[in-house]
Amino acid sequence: SLLSGLDQSHISNISSIFIANLLICGGVFMIKFPKNLFTYIIPCFSYIGTFIYFGFETHVLYSNVINCLIFLLAVIIISTTMYNYQYDGIVRNIILDQTNNQLNYISSHDPLTGLLNRRYFMEHIEKIQGGSKEPSAVILVDVDFFKIVNDRYGHPAGDMVLKEVSSVLKKYIK
């Protein structure tokens, strides 16, 4: 704004106010109202002050003050609308992505152990085996005497055994 005001001290270069304001508006458009107003008022008033200090033509000063106020009004209206639209869209996309990630995890993992479940296996076995020429393997784990643990100590104890087995599998198998 200081350079623009110095530039305006010569009558021949009146268009730099528009360039300066457009650059300022471009950055301010994505700031939420009233912060955008305060962000824009500082360069606006410093521009006008610089022009008053260095300017000699009053009709040029009046036209630049009017232009500055028009840009200020445009910033308030356009940036508020753009910010609200962009902000709502961004928030919706973030929430949607998080929800999709949670749903994908829930649908492909066992809730007790956190291990991949049969549904995941069925969906991805063809991708793993069909597209690759590398050998692949499936591991089947059987916990011996698990039914006895469930019958004798109850299902909460059986759940603890399953969690412990799954933590060992997660630790040693990729």
Side-chain angles (χ1 to χ4, degrees):
S1 63
L2 178 63
L3 290 175
S4 184
L6 288 171
D7 191 31
Q8 296 294 320
S9 64
H10 301 289
I11 281 197
S12 62
N13 251 341
I14 213 141
S15 64
S16 65
I17 178 68
F18 294 107
I19 295 169
N21 276 308
L22 285 174
L23 290 173
I24 294 167
C25 288
V28 173
F29 276 158
M30 295 309 293
I31 302 173
K32 189 175 182 180
F33 181 81
K35 288 181 184 176
N36 62 0
L37 181 62
F38 294 123
T39 305
Y40 187 71
I41 281 177
I42 294 168
C44 186
F45 284 141
S46 63
Y47 168 77
I48 292 172
T50 305
F51 194 81
I52 290 171
Y53 185 74
F54 291 105
F56 301 106
E57 300 289 327
T58 56
H59 71 282
V60 176
L61 173 63
Y62 291 142
S63 68
N64 282 314
V65 168
I66 290 169
N67 289 337
C68 207
L69 293 175
I70 288 170
F71 274 102
L72 183 64
L73 189 63
V75 164
I76 293 169
I77 294 169
I78 296 170
S79 67
T80 302
T81 304
M82 286 178 65
Y83 180 85
N84 289 340
Y85 176 74
Q86 293 294 330
Y87 181 77
D88 289 344
I90 290 168
V91 168
R92 270 189 255 120
N93 286 341
I94 290 171
I95 292 171
L96 184 62
D97 285 345
Q98 288 175 347
T99 304
N100 282 338
N101 290 339
Q102 288 174 345
L103 288 174
N104 286 335
Y105 183 86
I106 289 170
S107 70
S108 63
H109 289 76
D110 178 66
L112 178 66
T113 63
L115 296 174
L116 293 169
N117 61 16
R118 180 178 179 210
R119 178 180 176 176
Y120 180 88
F121 176 77
M122 298 306 285
E123 287 178 0
H124 291 86
I125 190 68
E126 289 181 19
K127 290 180 189 176
I128 294 170
Q129 189 178 15
S132 174
K133 295 184 180 187
E134 299 271 332
S136 58
V138 175
I139 298 174
L140 178 64
V141 177
D142 180 33
V143 179
D144 290 336
F145 308 111
F146 182 71
K147 182 169 175 17
I148 295 172
V149 172
N150 263 345
D151 292 343
R152 185 176 292 168
Y153 302 107
H155 289 283
D159 290 349
M160 288 173 47
V161 169
L162 288 177
K163 286 179 184 178
E164 188 61 33
V165 169
S166 68
S167 69
V168 169
L169 289 173
K170 286 180 192 176
K171 184 175 181 181
Y172 293 107
I173 298 174
K174 292 183 181 181

